[in-house]
Amino acid sequence: MNLIEGRKVSKEILLKLKDQVSGLINKHIHPKLAVILVGQNPASLSYIRQKQKACSDTGIEWEQFDYDEEVTTEQLASKVHSLNEDPDIHGILVQLPLPKNVYAPEVLKAIEPKKDVDGFTAYNLGKMFLSTEFEHLTPCTPMGVIQLLEYYKVPIKGQEVVVVGHSNIVGKPLATMLLNRDATVTVCHVHTKDLASHTKRADILCVAVGKANLITAEMVKEGAVVIDIGVNRIKGADGKEKLVGDCDFENVSKKAGMITPVPGGVGPMTVACLMENTVKSAKRLNNLT
Ligand code: NAP
């Protein structure tokens, strides 16, 4: 088994971005990310810290707008509209999940597609549907997975790829991006009748569900590349909380040819791709690409 070291790859990406940000600052363009956070969800706070650190590592400016859970859809959409108009802001990120009283699609819809660094607007998702050439601001987690596969020279074209999970932010866009690269893609979800019959065929198995130990060694083909995207907080044997993915890592890693660890696999790549998107947006908004 070989580990796919997302943390290492993400550091290389951030280092390259730091140079690009310096170059932009020399041209009096300071890439800046605006972040909207609602409430104090512990997972969201942890993601926000990681993203803020990556901004500070690369030199991207960070401005955070905090709201309490009583905020309305209209108030958030109005904030997004004002950030759309602000020439100093190059990327807008609305940290998900939003509380139940807010209609998230309406808030995301308000984001100007050129500043949509999470790649969640219908415009950017729709463009991505056409081909790799139109993948401009793509959702960060799927992009992180693609970059990991490319970095480790895992062939995608013609491979049997199984994606477990079909959310709009991970599973579906990942399946589309793999299809754009000529993989034969099967997408599984909660209604899939015999999950193992699909996962066992996969040359590349990508799992984004949010259920610890969903994927056991018996469900994985010998030598497969396993990309574990899930993040689950569970209690370890010592009673302390720990992060695990959706795969039974100890046993799946003995059978897989390559596997991403959790933490340290896809997570840091998601953050690195967010930084990439912010730099891309800053360049494009200043007509540099
Ligand atoms: P989500 O919106 O809850 O989607 C989960 C998906 O899994 C849904 O498509 C669901 O199907 C499917 N599913 C649920 N139970 C299943 C089962 N028993 N068998 C097969 N499929 C099942 O979650 P998400 O936002 O896509 O995130 C998925 C996981 O990835 C979470 O653990 C999240 O924390 C993690 N994540 C990690 C990163 C990262 O950077 N590492 C980024 C984003 C998300 P239905 O919709 O039909 O119920």
Side-chain angles (χ1 to χ4, degrees), residues 13-32 54-61 275-276 278-280 282-283:
I13 294 172
L14 294 182
L15 221 54
K16 281 189 202 142
L17 285 175
K18 192 177 175 184
D19 275 350
Q20 291 183 31
V21 171
S22 302
L24 286 171
I25 291 172
N26 286 340
K27 294 188 168 86
H28 308 290
I29 300 161
H30 202 148
K32 184 169 180 180
C55 273
S56 115
D57 289 348
T58 47
I60 295 172
E61 270 191 64
M275 299 301 120
E276 272 192 340
T278 307
V279 172
K280 264 193 207 173
K283 285 184 185 166

PDB file of all heavy atoms in Angstrom, residues 13-32 54-61 275-276 278-280 282-283:
ATOM      1  N   ILE A  13       1.492  23.003  -3.572  1.00  0.00           N
ATOM      2  CA  ILE A  13       0.578  23.917  -4.288  1.00  0.00           C
ATOM      3  C   ILE A  13       0.613  25.299  -3.621  1.00  0.00           C
ATOM      4  O   ILE A  13       0.718  26.330  -4.288  1.00  0.00           O
ATOM      5  CB  ILE A  13      -0.871  23.359  -4.292  1.00  0.00           C
ATOM      6  CG1 ILE A  13      -0.934  22.076  -5.112  1.00  0.00           C
ATOM      7  CG2 ILE A  13      -1.871  24.397  -4.827  1.00  0.00           C
ATOM      8  CD1 ILE A  13      -2.264  21.332  -5.034  1.00  0.00           C
ATOM      9  N   LEU A  14       0.566  25.310  -2.287  1.00  0.00           N
ATOM     10  CA  LEU A  14       0.531  26.596  -1.567  1.00  0.00           C
ATOM     11  C   LEU A  14       1.823  27.385  -1.788  1.00  0.00           C
ATOM     12  O   LEU A  14       1.804  28.609  -1.907  1.00  0.00           O
ATOM     13  CB  LEU A  14       0.289  26.372  -0.069  1.00  0.00           C
ATOM     14  CG  LEU A  14      -1.087  25.801   0.321  1.00  0.00           C
ATOM     15  CD1 LEU A  14      -1.220  25.669   1.827  1.00  0.00           C
ATOM     16  CD2 LEU A  14      -2.235  26.645  -0.222  1.00  0.00           C
ATOM     17  N   LEU A  15       2.932  26.655  -1.866  1.00  0.00           N
ATOM     18  CA  LEU A  15       4.225  27.318  -2.099  1.00  0.00           C
ATOM     19  C   LEU A  15       4.239  28.015  -3.462  1.00  0.00           C
ATOM     20  O   LEU A  15       4.690  29.159  -3.591  1.00  0.00           O
ATOM     21  CB  LEU A  15       5.333  26.266  -2.022  1.00  0.00           C
ATOM     22  CG  LEU A  15       6.615  26.657  -1.317  1.00  0.00           C
ATOM     23  CD1 LEU A  15       6.340  27.179   0.078  1.00  0.00           C
ATOM     24  CD2 LEU A  15       7.569  25.449  -1.240  1.00  0.00           C
ATOM     25  N   LYS A  16       3.739  27.310  -4.481  1.00  0.00           N
ATOM     26  CA  LYS A  16       3.674  27.911  -5.830  1.00  0.00           C
ATOM     27  C   LYS A  16       2.748  29.114  -5.832  1.00  0.00           C
ATOM     28  O   LYS A  16       3.019  30.140  -6.458  1.00  0.00           O
ATOM     29  CB  LYS A  16       3.140  26.873  -6.838  1.00  0.00           C
ATOM     30  CG  LYS A  16       4.199  25.881  -7.278  1.00  0.00           C
ATOM     31  CD  LYS A  16       3.678  25.042  -8.423  1.00  0.00           C
ATOM     32  CE  LYS A  16       4.470  23.746  -8.500  1.00  0.00           C
ATOM     33  NZ  LYS A  16       3.689  22.569  -8.835  1.00  0.00           N
ATOM     34  N   LEU A  17       1.631  28.979  -5.099  1.00  0.00           N
ATOM     35  CA  LEU A  17       0.665  30.085  -5.060  1.00  0.00           C
ATOM     36  C   LEU A  17       1.261  31.311  -4.391  1.00  0.00           C
ATOM     37  O   LEU A  17       0.985  32.446  -4.775  1.00  0.00           O
ATOM     38  CB  LEU A  17      -0.611  29.656  -4.322  1.00  0.00           C
ATOM     39  CG  LEU A  17      -1.544  28.728  -5.096  1.00  0.00           C
ATOM     40  CD1 LEU A  17      -2.702  28.289  -4.204  1.00  0.00           C
ATOM     41  CD2 LEU A  17      -2.092  29.409  -6.350  1.00  0.00           C
ATOM     42  N   LYS A  18       2.087  31.055  -3.369  1.00  0.00           N
ATOM     43  CA  LYS A  18       2.709  32.181  -2.645  1.00  0.00           C
ATOM     44  C   LYS A  18       3.506  33.054  -3.625  1.00  0.00           C
ATOM     45  O   LYS A  18       3.443  34.284  -3.573  1.00  0.00           O
ATOM     46  CB  LYS A  18       3.620  31.615  -1.546  1.00  0.00           C
ATOM     47  CG  LYS A  18       4.093  32.627  -0.569  1.00  0.00           C
ATOM     48  CD  LYS A  18       4.915  31.978   0.502  1.00  0.00           C
ATOM     49  CE  LYS A  18       5.478  33.072   1.395  1.00  0.00           C
ATOM     50  NZ  LYS A  18       6.359  32.562   2.405  1.00  0.00           N
ATOM     51  N   ASP A  19       4.236  32.403  -4.521  1.00  0.00           N
ATOM     52  CA  ASP A  19       4.996  33.135  -5.552  1.00  0.00           C
ATOM     53  C   ASP A  19       4.063  33.933  -6.447  1.00  0.00           C
ATOM     54  O   ASP A  19       4.333  35.093  -6.779  1.00  0.00           O
ATOM     55  CB  ASP A  19       5.749  32.142  -6.450  1.00  0.00           C
ATOM     56  CG  ASP A  19       7.077  31.763  -5.837  1.00  0.00           C
ATOM     57  OD1 ASP A  19       7.469  32.408  -4.845  1.00  0.00           O
ATOM     58  OD2 ASP A  19       7.698  30.791  -6.329  1.00  0.00           O
ATOM     59  N   GLN A  20       2.962  33.263  -6.844  1.00  0.00           N
ATOM     60  CA  GLN A  20       2.013  33.949  -7.743  1.00  0.00           C
ATOM     61  C   GLN A  20       1.386  35.145  -7.043  1.00  0.00           C
ATOM     62  O   GLN A  20       1.193  36.197  -7.655  1.00  0.00           O
ATOM     63  CB  GLN A  20       0.915  32.986  -8.180  1.00  0.00           C
ATOM     64  CG  GLN A  20       1.421  31.892  -9.093  1.00  0.00           C
ATOM     65  CD  GLN A  20       0.295  30.980  -9.564  1.00  0.00           C
ATOM     66  OE1 GLN A  20      -0.836  31.386  -9.712  1.00  0.00           O
ATOM     67  NE2 GLN A  20       0.632  29.728  -9.800  1.00  0.00           N
ATOM     68  N   VAL A  21       1.077  34.986  -5.754  1.00  0.00           N
ATOM     69  CA  VAL A  21       0.464  36.097  -5.000  1.00  0.00           C
ATOM     70  C   VAL A  21       1.458  37.249  -4.915  1.00  0.00           C
ATOM     71  O   VAL A  21       1.101  38.411  -5.137  1.00  0.00           O
ATOM     72  CB  VAL A  21      -0.006  35.628  -3.601  1.00  0.00           C
ATOM     73  CG1 VAL A  21      -0.445  36.810  -2.744  1.00  0.00           C
ATOM     74  CG2 VAL A  21      -1.150  34.625  -3.726  1.00  0.00           C
ATOM     75  N   SER A  22       2.744  36.934  -4.650  1.00  0.00           N
ATOM     76  CA  SER A  22       3.770  38.004  -4.603  1.00  0.00           C
ATOM     77  C   SER A  22       3.817  38.746  -5.930  1.00  0.00           C
ATOM     78  O   SER A  22       3.903  39.980  -5.964  1.00  0.00           O
ATOM     79  CB  SER A  22       5.169  37.426  -4.373  1.00  0.00           C
ATOM     80  OG  SER A  22       5.197  36.721  -3.208  1.00  0.00           O
ATOM     81  N   GLY A  23       3.761  37.967  -7.023  1.00  0.00           N
ATOM     82  CA  GLY A  23       3.785  38.578  -8.360  1.00  0.00           C
ATOM     83  C   GLY A  23       2.605  39.514  -8.543  1.00  0.00           C
ATOM     84  O   GLY A  23       2.741  40.613  -9.092  1.00  0.00           O
ATOM     85  N   LEU A  24       1.439  39.093  -8.065  1.00  0.00           N
ATOM     86  CA  LEU A  24       0.236  39.937  -8.209  1.00  0.00           C
ATOM     87  C   LEU A  24       0.363  41.191  -7.349  1.00  0.00           C
ATOM     88  O   LEU A  24      -0.004  42.289  -7.776  1.00  0.00           O
ATOM     89  CB  LEU A  24      -1.016  39.141  -7.812  1.00  0.00           C
ATOM     90  CG  LEU A  24      -1.460  38.082  -8.829  1.00  0.00           C
ATOM     91  CD1 LEU A  24      -2.562  37.196  -8.245  1.00  0.00           C
ATOM     92  CD2 LEU A  24      -1.958  38.738 -10.116  1.00  0.00           C
ATOM     93  N   ILE A  25       0.905  41.013  -6.137  1.00  0.00           N
ATOM     94  CA  ILE A  25       1.044  42.179  -5.245  1.00  0.00           C
ATOM     95  C   ILE A  25       1.990  43.202  -5.886  1.00  0.00           C
ATOM     96  O   ILE A  25       1.757  44.409  -5.817  1.00  0.00           O
ATOM     97  CB  ILE A  25       1.519  41.733  -3.831  1.00  0.00           C
ATOM     98  CG1 ILE A  25       0.399  40.943  -3.147  1.00  0.00           C
ATOM     99  CG2 ILE A  25       1.913  42.941  -2.970  1.00  0.00           C
ATOM    100  CD1 ILE A  25       0.769  40.278  -1.843  1.00  0.00           C
ATOM    101  N   ASN A  26       3.038  42.700  -6.577  1.00  0.00           N
ATOM    102  CA  ASN A  26       3.935  43.615  -7.295  1.00  0.00           C
ATOM    103  C   ASN A  26       3.198  44.418  -8.356  1.00  0.00           C
ATOM    104  O   ASN A  26       3.619  45.504  -8.735  1.00  0.00           O
ATOM    105  CB  ASN A  26       5.083  42.834  -7.956  1.00  0.00           C
ATOM    106  CG  ASN A  26       6.080  42.368  -6.915  1.00  0.00           C
ATOM    107  OD1 ASN A  26       6.130  42.911  -5.803  1.00  0.00           O
ATOM    108  ND2 ASN A  26       6.864  41.338  -7.247  1.00  0.00           N
ATOM    109  N   LYS A  27       2.099  43.839  -8.838  1.00  0.00           N
ATOM    110  CA  LYS A  27       1.271  44.554  -9.840  1.00  0.00           C
ATOM    111  C   LYS A  27       0.139  45.314  -9.150  1.00  0.00           C
ATOM    112  O   LYS A  27      -0.846  45.683  -9.788  1.00  0.00           O
ATOM    113  CB  LYS A  27       0.663  43.550 -10.822  1.00  0.00           C
ATOM    114  CG  LYS A  27       1.657  42.838 -11.704  1.00  0.00           C
ATOM    115  CD  LYS A  27       0.904  42.023 -12.764  1.00  0.00           C
ATOM    116  CE  LYS A  27       1.789  41.521 -13.851  1.00  0.00           C
ATOM    117  NZ  LYS A  27       2.452  40.246 -13.572  1.00  0.00           N
ATOM    118  N   HIS A  28       0.238  45.464  -7.834  1.00  0.00           N
ATOM    119  CA  HIS A  28      -0.766  46.180  -7.024  1.00  0.00           C
ATOM    120  C   HIS A  28      -2.131  45.492  -7.011  1.00  0.00           C
ATOM    121  O   HIS A  28      -3.163  46.130  -6.903  1.00  0.00           O
ATOM    122  CB  HIS A  28      -0.910  47.646  -7.470  1.00  0.00           C
ATOM    123  CG  HIS A  28       0.418  48.342  -7.523  1.00  0.00           C
ATOM    124  ND1 HIS A  28       1.124  48.661  -6.388  1.00  0.00           N
ATOM    125  CD2 HIS A  28       1.192  48.693  -8.569  1.00  0.00           C
ATOM    126  CE1 HIS A  28       2.268  49.205  -6.741  1.00  0.00           C
ATOM    127  NE2 HIS A  28       2.351  49.234  -8.062  1.00  0.00           N
ATOM    128  N   ILE A  29      -2.091  44.153  -7.150  1.00  0.00           N
ATOM    129  CA  ILE A  29      -3.336  43.382  -7.015  1.00  0.00           C
ATOM    130  C   ILE A  29      -3.141  42.484  -5.797  1.00  0.00           C
ATOM    131  O   ILE A  29      -2.219  41.652  -5.785  1.00  0.00           O
ATOM    132  CB  ILE A  29      -3.586  42.486  -8.260  1.00  0.00           C
ATOM    133  CG1 ILE A  29      -3.704  43.350  -9.514  1.00  0.00           C
ATOM    134  CG2 ILE A  29      -4.799  41.585  -8.068  1.00  0.00           C
ATOM    135  CD1 ILE A  29      -3.489  42.586 -10.809  1.00  0.00           C
ATOM    136  N   HIS A  30      -3.972  42.676  -4.786  1.00  0.00           N
ATOM    137  CA  HIS A  30      -3.814  41.838  -3.594  1.00  0.00           C
ATOM    138  C   HIS A  30      -4.997  40.876  -3.499  1.00  0.00           C
ATOM    139  O   HIS A  30      -6.097  41.277  -3.108  1.00  0.00           O
ATOM    140  CB  HIS A  30      -3.704  42.693  -2.326  1.00  0.00           C
ATOM    141  CG  HIS A  30      -3.033  41.940  -1.233  1.00  0.00           C
ATOM    142  ND1 HIS A  30      -2.253  42.531  -0.273  1.00  0.00           N
ATOM    143  CD2 HIS A  30      -3.001  40.605  -0.967  1.00  0.00           C
ATOM    144  CE1 HIS A  30      -1.781  41.584   0.532  1.00  0.00           C
ATOM    145  NE2 HIS A  30      -2.235  40.423   0.130  1.00  0.00           N
ATOM    146  N   PRO A  31      -4.801  39.598  -3.894  1.00  0.00           N
ATOM    147  CA  PRO A  31      -5.922  38.655  -3.848  1.00  0.00           C
ATOM    148  C   PRO A  31      -6.560  38.629  -2.461  1.00  0.00           C
ATOM    149  O   PRO A  31      -5.862  38.586  -1.453  1.00  0.00           O
ATOM    150  CB  PRO A  31      -5.270  37.299  -4.164  1.00  0.00           C
ATOM    151  CG  PRO A  31      -4.029  37.627  -4.899  1.00  0.00           C
ATOM    152  CD  PRO A  31      -3.555  38.939  -4.349  1.00  0.00           C
ATOM    153  N   LYS A  32      -7.891  38.681  -2.462  1.00  0.00           N
ATOM    154  CA  LYS A  32      -8.592  38.767  -1.179  1.00  0.00           C
ATOM    155  C   LYS A  32      -9.838  37.882  -1.190  1.00  0.00           C
ATOM    156  O   LYS A  32     -10.625  37.908  -2.133  1.00  0.00           O
ATOM    157  CB  LYS A  32      -8.991  40.224  -0.908  1.00  0.00           C
ATOM    158  CG  LYS A  32      -9.632  40.428   0.447  1.00  0.00           C
ATOM    159  CD  LYS A  32      -9.735  41.922   0.738  1.00  0.00           C
ATOM    160  CE  LYS A  32     -10.376  42.195   2.071  1.00  0.00           C
ATOM    161  NZ  LYS A  32     -10.482  43.614   2.351  1.00  0.00           N
ATOM    162  N   ALA A  54      -4.208  28.913   5.457  1.00  0.00           N
ATOM    163  CA  ALA A  54      -3.705  28.792   4.078  1.00  0.00           C
ATOM    164  C   ALA A  54      -3.621  30.168   3.429  1.00  0.00           C
ATOM    165  O   ALA A  54      -2.686  30.443   2.668  1.00  0.00           O
ATOM    166  CB  ALA A  54      -4.605  27.860   3.271  1.00  0.00           C
ATOM    167  N   CYS A  55      -4.578  31.037   3.735  1.00  0.00           N
ATOM    168  CA  CYS A  55      -4.523  32.413   3.209  1.00  0.00           C
ATOM    169  C   CYS A  55      -3.269  33.087   3.742  1.00  0.00           C
ATOM    170  O   CYS A  55      -2.519  33.716   2.978  1.00  0.00           O
ATOM    171  CB  CYS A  55      -5.749  33.198   3.646  1.00  0.00           C
ATOM    172  SG  CYS A  55      -7.144  33.010   2.543  1.00  0.00           S
ATOM    173  N   SER A  56      -3.040  32.948   5.035  1.00  0.00           N
ATOM    174  CA  SER A  56      -1.879  33.648   5.593  1.00  0.00           C
ATOM    175  C   SER A  56      -0.570  33.035   5.056  1.00  0.00           C
ATOM    176  O   SER A  56       0.397  33.746   4.800  1.00  0.00           O
ATOM    177  CB  SER A  56      -1.989  33.682   7.129  1.00  0.00           C
ATOM    178  OG  SER A  56      -0.990  32.971   7.725  1.00  0.00           O
ATOM    179  N   ASP A  57      -0.545  31.722   4.809  1.00  0.00           N
ATOM    180  CA  ASP A  57       0.658  31.080   4.240  1.00  0.00           C
ATOM    181  C   ASP A  57       0.959  31.553   2.818  1.00  0.00           C
ATOM    182  O   ASP A  57       2.115  31.561   2.389  1.00  0.00           O
ATOM    183  CB  ASP A  57       0.504  29.552   4.217  1.00  0.00           C
ATOM    184  CG  ASP A  57       0.566  28.950   5.616  1.00  0.00           C
ATOM    185  OD1 ASP A  57       0.950  29.669   6.558  1.00  0.00           O
ATOM    186  OD2 ASP A  57       0.220  27.753   5.766  1.00  0.00           O
ATOM    187  N   THR A  58      -0.101  31.875   2.072  1.00  0.00           N
ATOM    188  CA  THR A  58       0.117  32.245   0.661  1.00  0.00           C
ATOM    189  C   THR A  58       0.147  33.759   0.456  1.00  0.00           C
ATOM    190  O   THR A  58       0.509  34.221  -0.620  1.00  0.00           O
ATOM    191  CB  THR A  58      -1.024  31.672  -0.220  1.00  0.00           C
ATOM    192  OG1 THR A  58      -2.260  31.969   0.414  1.00  0.00           O
ATOM    193  CG2 THR A  58      -0.906  30.187  -0.416  1.00  0.00           C
ATOM    194  N   GLY A  59      -0.297  34.507   1.458  1.00  0.00           N
ATOM    195  CA  GLY A  59      -0.338  35.970   1.321  1.00  0.00           C
ATOM    196  C   GLY A  59      -1.671  36.484   0.824  1.00  0.00           C
ATOM    197  O   GLY A  59      -1.809  37.683   0.529  1.00  0.00           O
ATOM    198  N   ILE A  60      -2.666  35.581   0.739  1.00  0.00           N
ATOM    199  CA  ILE A  60      -4.007  36.026   0.315  1.00  0.00           C
ATOM    200  C   ILE A  60      -4.665  36.730   1.507  1.00  0.00           C
ATOM    201  O   ILE A  60      -4.589  36.242   2.638  1.00  0.00           O
ATOM    202  CB  ILE A  60      -4.860  34.814  -0.141  1.00  0.00           C
ATOM    203  CG1 ILE A  60      -4.250  34.189  -1.396  1.00  0.00           C
ATOM    204  CG2 ILE A  60      -6.321  35.208  -0.362  1.00  0.00           C
ATOM    205  CD1 ILE A  60      -4.888  32.877  -1.836  1.00  0.00           C
ATOM    206  N   GLU A  61      -5.306  37.869   1.228  1.00  0.00           N
ATOM    207  CA  GLU A  61      -5.989  38.585   2.336  1.00  0.00           C
ATOM    208  C   GLU A  61      -7.294  37.884   2.682  1.00  0.00           C
ATOM    209  O   GLU A  61      -7.944  37.298   1.805  1.00  0.00           O
ATOM    210  CB  GLU A  61      -6.307  40.020   1.904  1.00  0.00           C
ATOM    211  CG  GLU A  61      -5.197  40.996   2.235  1.00  0.00           C
ATOM    212  CD  GLU A  61      -5.677  42.415   2.023  1.00  0.00           C
ATOM    213  OE1 GLU A  61      -6.604  42.847   2.728  1.00  0.00           O
ATOM    214  OE2 GLU A  61      -5.129  43.061   1.110  1.00  0.00           O
ATOM    215  N   MET A 275      -7.576  28.102  -2.419  1.00  0.00           N
ATOM    216  CA  MET A 275      -6.582  29.176  -2.598  1.00  0.00           C
ATOM    217  C   MET A 275      -6.295  29.361  -4.097  1.00  0.00           C
ATOM    218  O   MET A 275      -6.190  30.482  -4.585  1.00  0.00           O
ATOM    219  CB  MET A 275      -5.274  28.842  -1.861  1.00  0.00           C
ATOM    220  CG  MET A 275      -5.414  28.667  -0.364  1.00  0.00           C
ATOM    221  SD  MET A 275      -6.072  30.121   0.468  1.00  0.00           S
ATOM    222  CE  MET A 275      -7.560  29.473   1.208  1.00  0.00           C
ATOM    223  N   GLU A 276      -6.180  28.238  -4.814  1.00  0.00           N
ATOM    224  CA  GLU A 276      -5.942  28.322  -6.271  1.00  0.00           C
ATOM    225  C   GLU A 276      -7.061  29.086  -6.949  1.00  0.00           C
ATOM    226  O   GLU A 276      -6.820  29.949  -7.794  1.00  0.00           O
ATOM    227  CB  GLU A 276      -5.880  26.911  -6.875  1.00  0.00           C
ATOM    228  CG  GLU A 276      -4.520  26.303  -6.843  1.00  0.00           C
ATOM    229  CD  GLU A 276      -4.449  25.045  -7.704  1.00  0.00           C
ATOM    230  OE1 GLU A 276      -5.485  24.443  -8.024  1.00  0.00           O
ATOM    231  OE2 GLU A 276      -3.335  24.651  -8.034  1.00  0.00           O
ATOM    232  N   THR A 278      -9.011  31.277  -5.670  1.00  0.00           N
ATOM    233  CA  THR A 278      -8.995  32.699  -5.302  1.00  0.00           C
ATOM    234  C   THR A 278      -7.959  33.454  -6.149  1.00  0.00           C
ATOM    235  O   THR A 278      -8.219  34.560  -6.632  1.00  0.00           O
ATOM    236  CB  THR A 278      -8.695  32.856  -3.789  1.00  0.00           C
ATOM    237  OG1 THR A 278      -9.625  32.049  -3.062  1.00  0.00           O
ATOM    238  CG2 THR A 278      -8.808  34.298  -3.331  1.00  0.00           C
ATOM    239  N   VAL A 279      -6.804  32.822  -6.340  1.00  0.00           N
ATOM    240  CA  VAL A 279      -5.756  33.463  -7.160  1.00  0.00           C
ATOM    241  C   VAL A 279      -6.222  33.553  -8.621  1.00  0.00           C
ATOM    242  O   VAL A 279      -6.052  34.589  -9.276  1.00  0.00           O
ATOM    243  CB  VAL A 279      -4.411  32.703  -7.018  1.00  0.00           C
ATOM    244  CG1 VAL A 279      -3.374  33.231  -8.000  1.00  0.00           C
ATOM    245  CG2 VAL A 279      -3.897  32.806  -5.576  1.00  0.00           C
ATOM    246  N   LYS A 280      -6.848  32.463  -9.106  1.00  0.00           N
ATOM    247  CA  LYS A 280      -7.386  32.472 -10.477  1.00  0.00           C
ATOM    248  C   LYS A 280      -8.363  33.620 -10.661  1.00  0.00           C
ATOM    249  O   LYS A 280      -8.332  34.337 -11.662  1.00  0.00           O
ATOM    250  CB  LYS A 280      -8.181  31.168 -10.720  1.00  0.00           C
ATOM    251  CG  LYS A 280      -7.455  30.068 -11.396  1.00  0.00           C
ATOM    252  CD  LYS A 280      -8.515  29.038 -11.811  1.00  0.00           C
ATOM    253  CE  LYS A 280      -7.940  27.661 -11.887  1.00  0.00           C
ATOM    254  NZ  LYS A 280      -8.975  26.644 -12.133  1.00  0.00           N
ATOM    255  N   ALA A 282      -8.639  36.375  -8.889  1.00  0.00           N
ATOM    256  CA  ALA A 282      -7.963  37.681  -8.825  1.00  0.00           C
ATOM    257  C   ALA A 282      -7.334  37.999 -10.175  1.00  0.00           C
ATOM    258  O   ALA A 282      -7.400  39.137 -10.659  1.00  0.00           O
ATOM    259  CB  ALA A 282      -6.913  37.665  -7.722  1.00  0.00           C
ATOM    260  N   LYS A 283      -6.729  36.985 -10.796  1.00  0.00           N
ATOM    261  CA  LYS A 283      -6.096  37.216 -12.112  1.00  0.00           C
ATOM    262  C   LYS A 283      -7.162  37.557 -13.140  1.00  0.00           C
ATOM    263  O   LYS A 283      -7.038  38.507 -13.901  1.00  0.00           O
ATOM    264  CB  LYS A 283      -5.356  35.950 -12.563  1.00  0.00           C
ATOM    265  CG  LYS A 283      -4.059  35.719 -11.834  1.00  0.00           C
ATOM    266  CD  LYS A 283      -3.373  34.503 -12.429  1.00  0.00           C
ATOM    267  CE  LYS A 283      -2.119  34.154 -11.661  1.00  0.00           C
ATOM    268  NZ  LYS A 283      -1.620  32.823 -12.005  1.00  0.00           N
TER     269      LYS A 283
END
